[in-house]
Amino acid sequence: MAVSADEKSKICLACGKPLKGRIDKKFCDDYCRNNYNNQQKAKGAYSAYVRNINNTLLKNRRILEEILPEAEETAKANKDKLQRMGFHFKYFTHLYTTKTGKTYFYCYDYGYLPLENEWFLIVKKKDESYN
Ligand SMILES: [Zn+2]
C-alpha cells in the first residue's frame, strides 16, 4: 500500500520514529508523549535559570555603571551600599588577576576590586581593551 506524503513526513516528536495512523498523531504512544512533555518542562526550567542569571549580571553591571562617574577612572563603594542597590556578589562574568596578584571581578566591562574593610574599587574596562 502506498504511503501518502503527509504520513511519510510525520515523525514522533519524542523519538523521531515515523508515525503511522491518524494524521494528527504526534507521538508513538503515551510513553513518548510523557517523555516529550518532561523534556519541554526541563527546557523551560533551564531557560528560566539562565535568564535569571543573565538579568542578575546585567543588573550588577548597571549598578557598577551607576556608581562610577563617566569622567572618572575609578570609584569606591562599600559592601553595604552595593547590597542596598541590589548587587549580587555571587555573580560575575570573569576574573582578572594582575601581575601583582590582585583579582578584579568583572560583570562584562565593569569590574571591582575588593579592598580592605568591605570597600570596593570600581573600574571600567578601557575602550581599547575590548578586543
Ligand atoms: Zn516515539
Side-chain angles (χ1 to χ4, degrees), residues 12 15 28 32:
C12 170
C15 70
C28 309
C32 276

Side-chain angles (χ1 to χ4, degrees), residues 10-12 19 21 44-45 51 53 58 60 66 84 88 90 93-95 102 106-107 112 123 125 127:
K10 291 282 273 183
I11 56 161
C12 170
L19 290 172
R51 200 166 45 242
I53 291 178
L58 287 168
N60 276 357
E66 233 173 89
R84 259 187 291 120
H88 287 270
K90 212 171 129 183
T93 56
H94 59 290
L95 300 170
K102 289 174 178 168
Y106 273 91
C107 295
Y112 62 87
V123 298
K125 226 164 138 62
D127 287 342

Side-chain angles (χ1 to χ4, degrees), residues 97-121:
T97 304
T98 63
K99 283 183 192 132
T100 54
K102 289 174 178 168
T103 300
Y104 287 78
F105 294 73
Y106 273 91
C107 295
Y108 305 99
D109 51 341
Y110 283 85
Y112 62 87
L113 172 71
L115 305 171
E116 281 177 6
N117 301 319
E118 303 201 318
W119 277 85
F120 296 88
L121 184 74

